[in-house]
Amino acid sequence: MICTNLEECKKWLKENLNDERYRHSIGTAECASKLAEKFGLDKERAYFCGLIHDCAKCIPSSDLKDMIISCKDLCEGELTNPKTYHAPAGAIMAKENFCVEDEEILSAIRWHTLGKENMSKFEKIIFLADKIEAETRPEEWTAPIKAVLDEDNGLDKAILVCYKNTIKSLVERNLKICKTTIDIYNKLLETV
């Protein structure tokens, strides 16, 4: 099925995501819209991107891996963590299932999980909305991130807090940390 409007997209997502992931997608869309308005970007475009950002999340990891194995922009070690497969797969699906041709939307979906160096303001908003939406993300996780958004350079400061929390969580759970995550964290420390 190809979705070309918000209602069709929501219907497709409702049918292809579990309830929590669907609620997360709605929450991300709403948060992305608010962040876009706050930072002077198109809130409808941000809403749409936030809505479909996890369109591949409930597909089995083995299928996702097959889908992304030929992607040219995979990061070192990205294939070692199945939790990240849905991001590049989501960009592929956004193009195929939702007729997305907007390269910045595709890139924001592609990088919403790991992030990347030198993200555009739009990519940063989608990255953050995924982490701080109010539907499924706990307040104790989101509060420190939201607290810095109004400061000078607030987007980058908020992303740095996200990375600090993510790295800490990965270490506590004895999970591998993608080299890209470390590189972005180090770069943010230099610029924030």
Side-chain angles (χ1 to χ4, degrees):
M1 174 179 183
I2 295 181
C3 303
T4 56
N5 66 51
L6 280 180
E7 291 313 310
E8 287 176 351
C9 292
K10 287 179 181 178
K11 183 177 186 288
W12 187 95
L13 293 168
K14 188 85 169 150
E15 293 171 356
N16 290 279
L17 299 177
N18 63 39
D19 183 57
E20 182 179 0
R21 188 57 45 189
Y22 180 75
R23 287 187 307 111
H24 167 70
S25 296
I26 296 295
T28 302
E30 291 169 356
C31 184
S33 178
K34 289 175 186 168
L35 287 172
E37 186 171 31
K38 179 181 184 70
F39 290 100
L41 299 178
D42 183 328
K43 64 183 198 171
E44 285 81 16
R45 186 170 169 250
Y47 183 95
F48 174 70
C49 187
L51 182 67
I52 66 168
H53 82 286
D54 265 354
C55 62
K57 186 69 173 182
C58 293
I59 296 172
S61 295
S62 58
D63 294 343
L64 292 176
K65 188 173 185 178
D66 290 343
M67 191 184 301
I68 67 169
I69 199 78
S70 62
C71 288
K72 293 178 172 63
D73 64 352
L74 291 178
C75 299
E76 181 182 328
E78 194 168 6
L79 287 174
T80 64
N81 187 352
K83 289 185 180 280
T84 64
Y85 295 174
H86 74 282
I92 293 167
M93 288 181 63
K95 201 170 201 172
E96 294 174 0
N97 291 43
F98 302 101
C99 301
V100 176
E101 294 180 11
D102 184 320
E103 290 299 325
E104 193 170 33
I105 288 176
L106 293 172
S107 183
I109 293 169
R110 164 62 182 102
W111 297 107
H112 81 269
T113 301
L114 288 177
K116 67 176 186 171
E117 288 187 37
N118 304 312
M119 285 190 282
S120 71
K121 191 188 295 187
F122 184 81
E123 290 168 326
K124 290 174 184 180
I125 283 170
I126 301 305
F127 178 87
L128 280 175
D130 176 54
K131 311 303 184 273
I132 65 172
E133 57 85 11
E135 286 292 317
T136 62
R137 301 300 192 209
E139 176 86 20
E140 62 271 10
W141 170 265
T142 64
I145 300 165
K146 291 176 181 178
V148 298
L149 274 171
D150 288 328
E151 296 179 11
D152 288 342
N153 205 7
L155 277 175
D156 287 338
K157 286 179 180 177
I159 290 171
L160 180 60
V161 174
C162 283
Y163 278 101
K164 284 179 181 180
N165 292 344
T166 298
I167 291 168
K168 182 179 176 185
S169 173
L170 291 169
V171 169
E172 287 171 351
R173 293 179 292 153
N174 290 320
L175 295 174
K176 289 184 178 181
I177 301 172
C178 180
K179 182 181 179 316
T180 301
T181 299
I182 301 299
D183 291 344
I184 295 167
Y185 174 77
N186 287 338
K187 179 88 173 197
L188 283 167
L189 280 177
E190 292 172 6
T191 61
V192 171

